[in-house]
C-alpha cells in the first residue's frame, strides 16, 4: 500500500469517502482487505520496531495491528473529530472494555436517561460483582447530576437521543457538571451518528457506537467503536486485546465501505423521519410523537443546539392497548418487525413486547414505556410509501 492520503478537505462527506484510506499498490481505490491473522517481518529489528512502538507496522490482528482495521479506525476517528478510534466485535464489546478500562473496584458510574438494555444489564447486574456501582438518573432528572456524583465517579454515561422515548440530554451541560467533579463523559452516539451530532466537540471524553446500526447501515454487520484521545484509548486497547474483542478484518472492510455513504443515507433518513413525524403528529389515533425535530417536542431546543439533523428514529404512542397496538404493528407492510435500527430498511418495534419486555409494570411506568408505544427506524424507502403504509396500518 502507498502512504495514507492526507485529506485536503475536512468536510464530513469528504472524510467519509477518503479519510484513513490508502490506495492499494495495484491501484485499488481503497485500503484492501487483509484477512491475515499474522504478518511477517524481514528482520528481528523490524519486529522490535513495531513491538516497541517505533514503527506503525502490522503484527497480529487480535491486537488491531492490521492495515484494514487501522484504516477503518482512522476513518472513524476523523468522522467524530477524535484523535484515535478502536473497533470492536460489537457495540457491547466497546462499552464493556470502556467500563473495565476506566473503572476499578470501589469506583462509581452515573448513567443518565434510558440506555440500551444490554448496557443497563451490564451496569445494573454485572459490574456490581466487580465492585463498580452505577447510579441511574431518568433523563428528566439530569439536573440532579451534581447531587449524585461522588469523588469516586469515573464515568458519566448516556445516549442522546435516548431509546425509545427520544429524550435529549444536554451534552455541554452534562460535560460541565461532570468535569467539575473530575468524572469523564462517555456518550453513546449510535442514534444520532456523527452526521447529526459530534459529542467530542461539545467536550465529551469518549464516544462509543454500536457500528451495527447507522455506521454499518445495511443490517449486515455487527461491530462497535470507541473514539477519543490516544491516552484514554491506550487502556481500553489493552482490555480489547486480552478479552479478545477484536472486529474481524472482513467486518472492518465492510464497515469502511458502508461509512463512505453514511452522510447520504443519514440525511435522507433525517428528511423522511421529519416528514413521517409530522404526519403522525396530525393523526387522530396518535396520542404523542417523540421526535426531536418537532418544535413541540420537549427536547427540541437543546436538539437544535447540539444536533445538525434530528435522526431517523421516531417513537409514537398509539391510542390503544397492547393488543390494539400490536395489531397496528402487524398490519404494517413496508416496516419489518425487528429489534435493531439504522439500516436501509425501515423497522418497527413495540418496546413492551421486545426491548423493554423484561421490565416490571412499575419500572415501565416510571420510564414512560406505555403499551401503545411504537418505535420506528426509518430506512431509505420513499417517505410517501412509508406514510401510506402507516396510514393503512393506523386506520386498521
Ligand atoms: N448502543 C445502542 C444505542 C444500541 O441500540 C445497541 C444495540 O441495539 C448497543 C449499544 C449495543 O450494540 P451491539 O448490538 O452492536 O452490541
Amino acid at each position: 500500500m502507498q502512504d495514507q492520503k492526507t485529506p485536503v478537505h475536512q468536510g464530513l462527506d469528504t472524510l467519509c469517502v477518503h479519510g484513513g484510506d490508502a490506495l492499494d499498490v495495484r491501484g485499488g481505490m481503497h485500503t484492501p482487505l487483509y484477512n491475515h491473522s499474522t504478518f511477517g517481518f524481514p528482520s528481528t529489528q523490524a519486529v522490535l520496531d513495531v513491538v516497541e512502538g517505533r514503527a506503525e507496522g502490522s503484527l497480529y490482528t487480535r491486537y488491531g495491528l492490521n492495515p484494514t482495521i487501522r484504516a477503518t479506525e482512522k476513518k472513524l476517528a476523523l468522522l467524530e473529530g477524535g484523535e484515535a478510534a478502536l473497533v470492536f466485535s460489537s457495540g457491547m464489546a466497546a462499552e464493556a472494555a470502556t467500563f473495565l478500562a476506566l473503572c476499578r473496584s470501589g469506583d462509581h458510574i452515573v448513567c443518565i436517561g434510558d440506555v440500551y438494555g444490554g448496557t443497563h444489564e451490564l451496569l445494573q447486574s454485572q459490574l456490581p460483582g466487580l465492585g463498580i456501582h452505577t447510579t441511574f438518573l431518568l433523563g428528566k432528572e439530569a439536573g440532579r447530576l451534581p447531587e449524585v456524583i461522588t469523588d469516586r465517579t469515573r464515568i458519566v454515561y448516556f445516549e442522546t437521543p435516548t431509546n425509545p422515548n427520544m429524550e435529549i440530554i444536554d451534552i455541554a451541560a452534562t460535560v460541565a457538571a461532570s468535569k467539575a467533579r473530575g468524572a469523564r463523559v462517555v456518550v453513546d452516539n449510535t442514534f444520532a451518528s456523527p452526521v447529526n451530532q459530534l459529542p467530542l466537540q461539545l467536550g465529551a471524553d469518549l464516544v462509543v457506537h454500536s457500528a451495527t446500526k447507522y455506521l454499518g447501515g445495511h443490517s449486515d454487520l455487527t461491530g462497535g467503536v470507541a473514539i477519543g484521545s490516544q491516552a484514554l484509548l491506550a487502556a481500553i486497547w489493552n482490555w480489547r486485546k486480552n478479552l479478545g474483542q477484536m472486529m474481524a478484518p472482513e467486518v472492518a472492510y465492510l464497515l469502511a465501505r458502508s461509512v463512505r455513504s453514511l452522510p447520504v443515507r443519514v440525511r435522507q433518513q433525517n428528511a423522511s423521519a421529519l416528514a413521517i413525524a409530522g404526519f403522525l403528529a396530525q393523526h387522530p389515533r396518535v396520542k404523542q410523537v417523540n421526535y426531536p425535530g418537532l418544535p413541540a417536542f420537549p427536547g427540541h431546543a437543546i436538539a437544535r443546539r447540539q444536533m445538525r439533523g434530528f435522526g431517523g428514529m421516531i417513537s409514537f404512542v398509539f391510542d390503544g392497548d397492547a393488543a390494539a397496538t400490536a395489531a397496528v404493528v402487524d398490519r404494517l407492510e413496508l416496516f419489518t418487525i425487528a429489534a435493531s435500527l439504522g439500516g436501509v430498511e425501515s423497522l418497527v418495534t413495540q418496546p413492551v413486547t421486545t426491548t423493554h419486555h423484561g421490565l416490571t409494570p412499575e419500572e415501565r411506568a416510571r420510564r414512560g414505556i406505555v403499551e401503545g408505544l411504537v418505535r420506528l427506524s426509518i430506512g431509505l424507502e420513499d417517505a410517501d410509501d412509508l406514510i401510506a403504509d402507516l396510514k393503512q396500518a393506523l386506520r386498521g
Side-chain angles (χ1 to χ4, degrees):
M1 285 192 313
Q2 296 169 4
D3 284 348
Q4 185 201 335
K5 288 188 289 181
T6 309
V8 182
H9 306 286
Q10 296 301 318
L12 182 87
D13 296 32
T14 307
L15 293 175
C16 281
V17 177
H18 295 293
D21 265 316
L23 277 186
D24 174 16
V25 279
R26 290 187 178 81
M29 290 305 299
H30 310 117
T31 306
L33 167 56
Y34 284 90
N35 234 342
H36 313 78
S37 56
T38 192
F39 294 84
F41 289 83
S43 66
T44 303
Q45 188 55 50
V47 78
L48 278 176
D49 284 346
V50 173
V51 170
E52 293 173 2
R54 286 184 295 279
E56 235 210 21
S58 300
L59 179 77
Y60 193 62
T61 289
R62 177 169 51 79
Y63 290 16
L65 303 181
N66 167 303
T68 308
I69 284 167
R70 287 197 127 153
T72 302
E73 289 179 337
K74 281 179 186 159
K75 190 184 282 297
L76 294 170
L78 287 165
L79 300 194
E80 288 282 359
E83 253 173 43
L86 297 174
V87 291
F88 291 82
S89 52
S90 69
M92 282 312 301
E95 293 180 22
T98 299
F99 296 136
L100 291 171
L102 303 186
C103 300
R104 298 279 167 275
S105 179
D107 286 346
H108 176 240
I109 296 171
V110 179
C111 177
I112 306 176
D114 268 315
V115 287
Y116 171 62
T119 312
H120 191 267
E121 188 183 4
L122 183 62
L123 294 172
Q124 163 101 335
S125 312
Q126 295 181 283
L127 290 184
L130 302 177
I132 301 163
H133 293 272
T134 298
T135 300
F136 293 90
L137 293 178
L138 295 176
K140 61 183 178 212
E141 297 171 333
R144 289 187 48 223
L145 179 59
E147 287 167 41
V148 302
I149 208 163
T150 75
D151 292 341
R152 295 304 298 263
T153 307
R154 296 288 171 259
I155 295 177
V156 174
Y157 183 90
F158 58 96
E159 299 173 11
T160 180
T162 65
N163 178 21
N165 281 325
M166 307 300 297
E167 282 179 301
I168 300 296
I169 312 293
D170 187 330
I171 300 175
T174 309
V175 165
S178 307
K179 296 270 162 90
R181 297 296 299 274
R184 289 185 174 118
V185 175
V186 180
V187 180
D188 181 333
N189 206 25
T190 301
F191 264 43
S193 91
V195 179
N196 288 330
Q197 178 171 278
L198 293 169
L200 297 178
Q201 280 190 355
L202 296 167
D205 296 283
L206 270 181
V207 161
V208 291
H209 277 272
S210 167
T212 317
K213 310 300 185 314
Y214 286 100
L215 299 179
H218 298 72
S219 309
D220 60 2
L221 68 82
T222 300
V225 59
I227 303 161
S229 68
Q230 297 272 14
L232 264 187
L233 292 178
I236 300 173
W237 184 86
N238 230 26
W239 280 93
R240 179 185 70 171
K241 175 169 76 82
N242 292 337
L243 290 175
Q245 300 170 303
M246 180 45 68
M247 172 181 277
E250 297 99 312
V251 178
Y253 183 82
L254 195 55
L255 178 56
R257 197 281 314 262
S258 293
V259 164
R260 292 187 188 104
S261 61
L262 176 74
V264 186
R265 285 187 278 114
V266 169
R267 284 190 205 114
Q268 171 152 342
Q269 285 161 325
N270 288 343
S272 295
L274 190 59
I276 291 164
F279 158 75
L280 290 169
Q282 302 295 324
H283 199 283
R285 297 298 308 273
V286 172
K287 292 203 289 195
Q288 185 183 322
V289 182
N290 304 319
Y291 186 67
L294 293 178
F297 185 66
H300 180 67
I302 302 169
R304 283 185 73 92
R305 268 206 316 272
Q306 70 186 23
M307 300 181 81
R308 293 184 291 193
F310 301 110
M313 298 300 297
I314 305 172
S315 64
F316 67 92
V317 180
F318 178 65
D319 184 12
D321 61 13
T325 307
V328 171
V329 168
D330 288 345
R331 275 193 295 271
L332 284 165
E333 288 168 7
L334 268 182
F335 290 82
T336 304
I337 302 172
S340 195
L341 60 112
V344 295
E345 55 291 290
S346 292
L347 304 181
V348 59
T349 53
Q350 187 184 359
V352 291
T353 67
T354 52
T355 47
H356 295 71
H357 187 253
L359 295 186
T360 61
E362 296 73 32
E363 189 54 20
R364 274 191 214 146
R366 204 173 79 83
R367 299 214 216 160
I369 315 288
V370 294
E371 291 187 344
L373 188 67
V374 177
R375 189 189 81 175
L376 303 175
S377 169
I378 305 303
L380 295 183
E381 303 90 343
D382 287 81
D384 287 347
D385 291 343
L386 294 171
I387 289 173
D389 194 23
L390 284 161
K391 208 182 262 176
Q392 66 77 20
L394 288 164
R395 197 185 299 129

